[in-house]
Amino acid sequence: MPNHPQFGCIFPMPSINMVFANKLRTAVHHLNNAIQPLQTNSLRQIIETKQKQTQKKKRKTDKRKKQKSAAKVNTTQHNQYSSLVQSLIVDIK
């Protein structure tokens, strides 16, 4: 049965069974891809690298906090010494 040039092609409507089976097959495929790393050591490697990255970040933030606190201590000591020197200068005059 040739296609009439005025109407174009007519495609059969898929059955609900075929649509459901295709959706189910796709879902199972994605589940298998998600579970494969669990069955291999690649998941363990991913977790270890993430832990190493978070530990590095934590060390950096701890180091920054220590530097900031040391800077605060230095500025307070500097302020104390400068006020002491100022008072000595005033006493000398």
Side-chain angles (χ1 to χ4, degrees), residues 57-88:
K57 287 181 182 178
K58 187 175 181 182
R59 284 187 211 129
K60 285 182 182 180
T61 55
D62 289 344
K63 188 176 180 180
R64 287 181 190 155
K65 286 180 183 178
K66 286 180 183 178
Q67 289 175 350
K68 285 182 181 179
S69 65
K72 286 181 183 178
V73 167
N74 289 339
T75 56
T76 57
Q77 287 177 352
H78 176 67
N79 291 339
Q80 290 173 354
Y81 292 134
S82 64
S83 64
L84 181 64
V85 170
Q86 291 287 338
S87 66
L88 288 175

Side-chain angles (χ1 to χ4, degrees), residues 6-80:
Q6 185 179 4
F7 298 115
C9 295
I10 298 173
F11 295 101
M13 184 175 164
S15 68
I16 192 75
N17 188 23
M18 288 175 56
V19 172
F20 180 74
N22 191 22
K23 295 281 184 182
L24 189 63
R25 191 176 326 118
T26 304
V28 168
H29 170 74
H30 289 297
L31 282 173
N32 282 336
N33 285 343
I35 291 177
Q36 267 181 338
L38 294 173
Q39 294 172 346
T40 62
N41 288 335
S42 64
L43 180 67
R44 184 183 313 241
Q45 292 171 352
I46 292 169
I47 291 172
E48 288 174 358
T49 54
K50 282 290 187 182
Q51 287 176 347
K52 288 179 184 178
Q53 289 173 353
T54 54
Q55 288 174 356
K56 285 181 183 179
K57 287 181 182 178
K58 187 175 181 182
R59 284 187 211 129
K60 285 182 182 180
T61 55
D62 289 344
K63 188 176 180 180
R64 287 181 190 155
K65 286 180 183 178
K66 286 180 183 178
Q67 289 175 350
K68 285 182 181 179
S69 65
K72 286 181 183 178
V73 167
N74 289 339
T75 56
T76 57
Q77 287 177 352
H78 176 67
N79 291 339
Q80 290 173 354

